[in-house]
Amino acid sequence: MYDDNNVFAKILRGEIPCKKVFEDTHILAFDDINPQAPVHTLVIPKGKYVSMKDFAEKASDAEIAALTRAVGKVAEIKGLNESGYRILANAGVDAHQEVPHLHIHIFGGRALGPMLVRK
Ligand code: 5GP
C-alpha cells in the first residue's frame, strides 16, 4: 500500500521544498537533504510506486524509460560522466529503505569506496 503522507509524496505535491535538479512529465530529481557525497541526488517517479518491485510490475513503459533517461540526465547535469558515479536503490528492510516511494540515489564527486560495508 502506498502511503500518501511519505516525505517524497509531500515534495511532489509541493508541500515540502526541494532543490530541484531535473523534472519532466514522469520524473522529479532533487538533491538529498543529508548528502553522503559531494553529489547526492535522488531521482523519483511522479507516480505512486513504493519500490522497484511495484514500479517494475505497474509502471508504464514510458515511465520506466523516463526513469532511466533521468538518471543519465542528472549525471550529465551534475558533471559526473567523466569522474564516474554510483546509483543505488534501497528496497525494504534489509536495505534500510527509509522513504516508501521508489527513489534512485546518485552519488558522485569523490572516490566512493567499496560497494558495500563488509561484515
Ligand atoms: P532511503 O534510505 O529510503 O534509500 O533514502 C531516503 C533518503 O531520503 C535519505 O538519503 C534521506 O536523506 C532523504 N530524505 C529524507 N527526507 C528528505 C527530505 O525531506 N528532502 C530531501 N531532499 N531528502 C530527504
Side-chain angles (χ1 to χ4, degrees):
M1 271 289 280
Y2 184 82
D3 172 11
D4 274 310
N5 283 320
N6 81 73
V7 70
F8 295 167
K10 290 180 181 174
I11 286 174
L12 285 167
R13 291 196 296 267
E15 294 166 12
I16 294 179
C18 72
K19 263 185 76 184
K20 193 198 305 187
V21 174
F22 173 79
E23 182 172 16
D24 69 12
T25 313
H26 297 299
I27 303 296
L28 180 66
F30 50 94
D31 287 332
D32 196 288
I33 203 168
N34 183 24
Q36 308 293 314
V39 174
H40 184 175
T41 300
L42 302 169
V43 183
I44 69 171
K46 290 182 174 175
K48 298 179 178 184
Y49 303 105
V50 174
S51 65
M52 190 58 85
K53 175 182 187 297
D54 202 18
F55 187 69
E57 286 174 358
K58 297 179 194 152
S60 67
D61 290 356
E63 288 172 295
I64 291 170
L67 186 68
T68 304
R69 293 201 193 284
V71 169
K73 202 78 193 163
V74 168
E76 183 188 321
I77 291 167
K78 291 289 186 176
L80 298 177
N81 281 329
E82 195 93 345
S83 51
Y85 58 95
R86 180 173 293 157
I87 62 176
L88 180 148
N90 291 317
V93 176
D94 278 359
H96 294 188
Q97 180 180 4
E98 286 170 14
V99 180
H101 181 115
L102 173 63
H103 48 286
I104 310 273
H105 297 258
I106 303 182
F107 302 103
R110 66 166 168 81
L112 295 166
M115 190 159 57
L116 290 176
V117 174
R118 294 178 206 286
K119 283 214 151 194

